[in-house]
Amino acid sequence: MLRYLNAFLWVCVCWFALWCSAPAQAGDEPFNGPANWGGTGLLETPTARVMPEGKFRVGFSQVDPYRRYYGAVSPLKGLELDGKVTEFLGVTANPNSSPDWEGYGNDKDKSFDLKHQFLAEGKYRPAVALGIMDPHGTRKFPSQYLVMSKQIYPFDFTLGFGNGRYGKNPLPAQGEGFRVEILSDPRSWLEDSQFFGGIEFAPSERFSFILEYSPIRYEKQTGDSAQAKYFQEPVPSKWNIGLRWKPVDWAEIDVSWQRGEQLGVNLSTSFDLGKPLVPIYDHPWREKPEFRSDPLAERLIRALYASGFRDIGIEASGDELRVEAANDRYFYTPAAVEVALRVLAQIVPPEFTTLRLTLTDRGIPLVALTALREDVCLFHQEKLTANQLYALSDGLKTDINETLAAEKHYRRYFDYGLKPEFQTFLNDPSGFFKYRAGVSGWLSLTPWRGGSFIAGLQGFPLNTVSSSNEPLSKPVRTDNVPYMEKNVSLSMLMAEQIRKFDGEIYGRLSAGMLEVQYGGIDGEIARPFLGGRLMLGLSGSVVKKRDEDDPLKFKEDDWKDTYTTAFVNARLNIPRLESAIDIKYGRFLAGDRGTRITLSRFFNGLELSAWYSWTDTDGFSDSHNRGYHDKGIAVTIPLRLFKGSDSRTVYKYSLSPWTRDVAQDIDHHTSLFDFIGRNTGIYLDKDWRN
């Protein structure tokens, strides 16, 4: 032990000597590869390095007896979040020898960590980060640490100090809620913590070598499921070595020798969130010579339809030409406006001095812009920039509620959508990983402004969902397994009316079979304030459970006849960070009252979200729901990232426990906050400039 301590002190002395004596190449790359658990680090220990903002990483690692499946993301500059599932090889999960757990296999643990690099590396100062590992639940791998890293290229030196996993003693489980000893009890954190560190040497951007000192006392980590079977004695060595290789920019392979006895492998891939895999390009429209003698309205309608618009109306009023159209292609509204203006510039004759363009959705006017024809033509000829045209126009207006009386051409009465589906059912005693994969689709008829009739169908040719759990005391979601077990189901059959009132007040009323498990009536009102920085609204529903076997009937023998929800909703948009905070306060499906907060981050169409709830769970008599906080993550993926051309289509996927009834709401086909989306003053101005 003394030999290891002397060696580590020698590393520390060298580290400080190099830090004080030499200039540095500031920055985290290329020393921001994944540690065993997926967060940026060496092998068993973290560094102060983080992934670049907007980077996402997924991977797999195995160092017996641990097998990990992980994902990590940097939603904001300097902040890194990672989540993982750890499988303890050879350690069977079977609490109380229950037969319900026979199909579960090896014990497994879910956990998440965060790291904030609050001081970036400078010429002479190191990068410094605070990390919080596994602060919630069973806390099998908890720690809080401070770590600093200094790059003297091609070397990167790290020294850290942490408790828990890296400390002298294990930390207790937490259950619901969070425990962070470095904040709640800094004295005990300081007394329990130990040093860790290492060196990474990168002679090339494609590969590097790692030497690491890990202070983990495996034999004392009694919260670790592997300890009792594998770590009765201290491990042979606290020194680890590894080779990190990047054969291509988006993939990494790590091979290591850890604890003096185990070969380790770590495979990962990373990519930039929101960056199209195929460059987005839409061919600009050009009018064919044989059409130039056609009537003006006919030429405009044909050109706008070919450019990605529907529900097109044309109306002349003196020297002003008014055009109304529904954007059917472009993800960003300013992009649609720009395309339409370029079309108008090529066709509209000089007798019209003013052009007014209104964009609609389901016949509801969302955005309008008025500009001089001369300015639009100069913009099309690239004699004015987009920002100059915007300054000369009256800007994109959202406080509009009038539509043209003119006949609409290429009217979209019918619409449809298809979505690849992959839904997971995690941590059931009968098997940790259950899933169903298939496709869902919907068809809608819009016979009048804002009104739709919608039918949805979903099919799952691959479906392994089942459960040995019984529904809990107030089942609103824990009894959904019979619905999930079906390979084909009618997901919705409903009518929906959306209306925009004066003062930018939106209303929605939906009725019918609203989702797979519930049917009834659902309503909502919403309004943006402060140019869209804030949205406020009210919503509520009265629903019944659907019959599992007859898609057009309601359940008769349910524990409760009807379920009611009522919420006050708010969304705070933060355009500078491309982030939003959603708050839903009120009564949830099971009657529990409280709040759900959702944090979202937007990356060029792709959106990451995470939510957490606080509700009064005293009404539940079972221990699983009482004191529980509903939580989950979601991602919204735009089709435009893969298509090679623009598209408004997005796919939303979420991951959360299906085995709780706390803070549950019905699924909504349309949310008014999302219907309004970025069509508010603050975002329209930003998107136009960008």
Side-chain angles (χ1 to χ4, degrees):
M1 181 64 188
L2 183 60
R3 174 165 55 91
Y4 295 148
L5 180 60
N6 289 336
F8 182 60
L9 290 175
W10 178 83
V11 171
C12 295
V13 170
C14 292
W15 188 91
F16 280 109
L18 288 168
W19 173 28
C20 296
S21 63
Q25 174 184 319
D28 292 337
E29 295 179 305
F31 301 108
N32 52 1
N36 292 347
W37 67 91
T40 298
L42 296 173
L43 298 169
E44 290 188 310
T45 63
T47 66
R49 306 301 177 192
V50 292
M51 293 187 295
E53 180 181 6
K55 201 80 168 181
F56 184 74
R57 175 166 61 212
V58 292
F60 157 88
S61 74
Q62 181 164 326
V63 187
D64 285 355
Y66 307 107
R67 179 181 294 159
R68 294 182 173 96
Y69 309 88
Y70 61 77
V73 65
S74 178
L76 298 170
K77 184 177 181 180
L79 178 64
E80 182 175 291
L81 309 174
D82 68 79
K84 58 189 174 294
V85 173
T86 302
E87 181 178 0
F88 302 92
L89 303 177
V91 181
T92 302
N94 193 1
N96 303 318
S97 300
S98 171
D100 292 339
W101 289 79
E102 290 181 357
Y104 192 86
N106 292 326
D107 192 16
K108 301 172 185 72
D109 176 70
K110 306 188 301 293
S111 61
F112 76 93
D113 317 314
L114 66 86
K115 182 199 300 186
H116 179 225
Q117 186 191 80
F118 58 86
L119 183 64
E121 183 173 354
K123 185 175 182 180
Y124 295 106
R125 70 169 184 266
V128 185
L130 167 68
I132 299 173
M133 302 179 69
D134 201 4
H136 172 78
T138 56
R139 296 221 303 172
K140 294 182 182 294
F141 303 100
S143 179
Q144 302 103 51
Y145 60 84
L146 288 170
V147 61
M148 51 186 177
S149 297
K150 189 73 182 77
Q151 182 181 153
I152 304 173
Y153 198 78
F155 294 93
D156 194 49
F157 300 87
T158 291
L159 180 64
F161 191 65
N163 71 338
R165 188 71 174 172
Y166 304 118
K168 301 170 186 175
N169 298 293
L171 297 176
Q174 170 61 23
E176 287 301 309
F178 299 87
R179 180 178 295 184
V180 182
E181 285 82 357
I182 194 173
L183 301 178
S184 63
D185 191 356
R187 179 180 293 274
S188 69
W189 173 83
L190 188 63
E191 292 174 351
D192 179 58
S193 293
Q194 299 185 108
F195 285 101
F196 59 85
I199 304 172
E200 185 170 356
F201 168 51
S204 165
E205 291 185 354
R206 291 297 183 193
F207 68 92
S208 62
F209 301 97
I210 297 171
L211 173 65
E212 171 192 68
Y213 173 78
S214 170
I216 300 175
R217 298 181 176 182
Y218 286 91
E219 73 281 6
K220 291 191 175 183
Q221 296 293 320
T222 54
D224 183 344
S225 297
Q227 185 272 331
K229 182 173 182 178
Y230 294 103
F231 299 113
Q232 292 293 317
E233 302 293 334
V235 296
S237 175
K238 293 183 180 294
W239 290 92
N240 303 320
I241 58 174
L243 169 65
R244 181 166 282 164
W245 177 44
K246 294 186 69 173
V248 290
D249 291 339
W250 47 268
E252 185 171 307
I253 302 172
D254 299 350
V255 180
S256 58
W257 182 251
Q258 300 187 31
R259 305 194 297 268
E261 60 181 1
Q262 288 295 336
L263 179 68
V265 177
N266 192 344
L267 309 176
S268 65
T269 182
S270 62
F271 50 89
D272 294 313
L273 295 174
K275 182 178 180 180
L277 298 182
V278 180
I280 297 173
Y281 179 75
D282 290 283
H283 292 277
W285 174 84
R286 293 290 184 270
E287 188 175 30
K288 295 180 179 179
E290 59 266 29
F291 294 141
R292 292 174 183 170
S293 60
D294 291 344
L296 175 62
E298 185 177 327
R299 294 171 64 196
L300 286 172
I301 291 166
R302 183 190 300 116
L304 288 170
Y305 175 69
S307 300
F309 297 90
R310 287 181 176 269
D311 299 347
I312 305 164
I314 308 293
E315 185 177 278
S317 177
D319 61 355
E320 181 178 80
L321 183 69
R322 299 171 182 173
V323 178
E324 182 180 298
N327 170 23
D328 197 39
R329 179 182 300 174
Y330 305 97
F331 186 87
Y332 293 98
T333 296
V337 171
E338 179 181 334
V339 170
L341 290 178
R342 290 188 183 278
V343 168
L344 298 181
Q346 298 177 61
I347 297 178
V348 176
E351 64 192 70
F352 294 102
T353 60
T354 305
L355 304 177
R356 178 176 174 83
L357 173 66
T358 301
L359 295 186
T360 64
D361 189 352
R362 305 189 207 181
I364 299 170
L366 298 179
V367 172
L369 180 138
T370 302
L372 295 177
R373 176 191 174 277
E374 180 182 3
D375 294 337
V376 174
C377 291
L378 290 174
F379 166 67
H380 177 63
Q381 297 164 10
E382 299 187 354
K383 295 180 180 179
L384 284 179
T385 65
N387 288 339
Q388 288 171 333
L389 172 64
Y390 195 64
L392 292 170
S393 72
D394 69 343
L396 290 168
K397 304 297 184 182
T398 59
D399 55 343
I400 55 172
N401 201 27
E402 293 184 358
T403 57
L404 298 183
E407 179 186 358
K408 303 301 187 297
H409 298 267
Y410 293 105
R411 178 76 184 275
R412 169 160 281 187
Y413 288 100
F414 290 95
D415 198 4
Y416 70 94
L418 293 174
K419 175 188 174 186
E421 292 282 6
F422 185 76
Q423 300 174 2
T424 58
F425 188 16
L426 301 180
N427 222 25
D428 189 79
S430 63
F432 176 81
F433 182 73
K434 303 289 186 70
Y435 68 91
R436 57 182 195 161
V439 64
S440 64
W442 55 267
L443 176 68
S444 70
L445 168 65
T446 305
W448 58 77
R449 175 175 168 177
S452 301
F453 297 96
I454 307 162
L457 189 69
Q458 55 186 16
F460 298 93
L462 299 177
N463 191 343
T464 66
V465 172
S466 64
S467 177
S468 59
N469 283 332
E470 294 295 327
L472 300 179
S473 58
K474 288 187 174 182
V476 294
R477 289 300 186 191
T478 55
D479 59 349
N480 68 349
V481 173
Y483 301 91
M484 301 295 105
E485 289 176 330
K486 295 188 178 300
N487 293 333
V488 179
S489 61
L490 182 69
S491 56
M492 57 183 161
L493 185 63
M494 56 182 282
E496 183 173 79
Q497 177 67 52
I498 298 177
R499 184 171 178 181
K500 183 178 182 181
F501 301 91
D502 292 338
E504 290 192 81
I505 298 174
Y506 292 79
R508 175 185 60 82
L509 183 64
S510 306
M513 301 303 183
L514 303 174
E515 51 134 291
V516 170
Q517 193 173 359
Y518 288 94
I521 300 174
D522 180 40
E524 182 182 9
I525 60 172
R527 185 187 190 280
F529 294 87
L530 304 175
R533 290 178 176 85
L534 177 67
M535 295 186 191
L536 296 176
L538 300 172
S539 64
S541 59
V542 179
V543 295
K544 291 174 64 73
K545 280 186 187 156
R546 297 174 59 183
D547 191 292
E548 300 101 322
D549 299 316
D550 191 330
L552 300 180
K553 289 185 178 180
F554 289 104
K555 195 171 183 177
E556 297 294 339
D557 56 349
D558 197 14
W559 71 278
K560 189 176 182 181
D561 186 44
T562 60
Y563 302 82
T564 59
T565 66
F567 300 107
V568 176
N569 305 310
R571 173 176 291 178
L572 176 64
N573 286 313
I574 310 172
R576 186 176 65 85
L577 299 178
E578 284 290 350
S579 302
I581 303 173
D582 282 73
I583 300 175
K584 180 191 290 282
Y585 171 78
R587 175 190 174 94
F588 291 88
L589 271 176
D592 50 323
R593 299 175 184 273
T595 303
R596 184 168 74 183
I597 295 181
T598 303
L599 305 179
S600 303
R601 178 70 164 88
F602 185 85
F603 298 91
N604 191 27
L606 187 146
E607 186 174 41
L608 297 178
S609 303
W611 70 87
Y612 194 84
S613 71
W614 293 266
T615 65
D616 178 9
T617 61
D618 291 343
F620 295 96
S621 60
D622 62 279
S623 60
H624 296 282
N625 278 318
R626 186 181 285 265
Y628 182 75
H629 301 270
D630 182 56
K631 61 192 76 73
I633 58 175
V635 58
T636 300
I637 303 173
L639 180 61
R640 68 198 296 265
L641 298 184
F642 314 96
K643 188 180 177 184
S645 60
D646 215 341
S647 173
R648 297 184 64 199
T649 301
V650 296
Y651 302 125
K652 185 170 184 177
Y653 301 93
S654 60
L655 180 64
S656 65
W658 291 8
T659 53
R660 298 292 191 275
D661 300 300
V662 173
Q664 297 298 312
D665 190 15
I666 63 170
D667 295 332
H668 306 278
H669 178 68
T670 304
S671 162
L672 287 183
F673 283 1
D674 293 335
F675 181 79
I676 299 169
R678 298 177 73 89
N679 291 317
T680 60
I682 188 67
Y683 276 121
L684 289 170
D685 289 349
K686 180 178 182 179
D687 292 343
W688 184 283
R689 294 189 180 94
N690 292 337

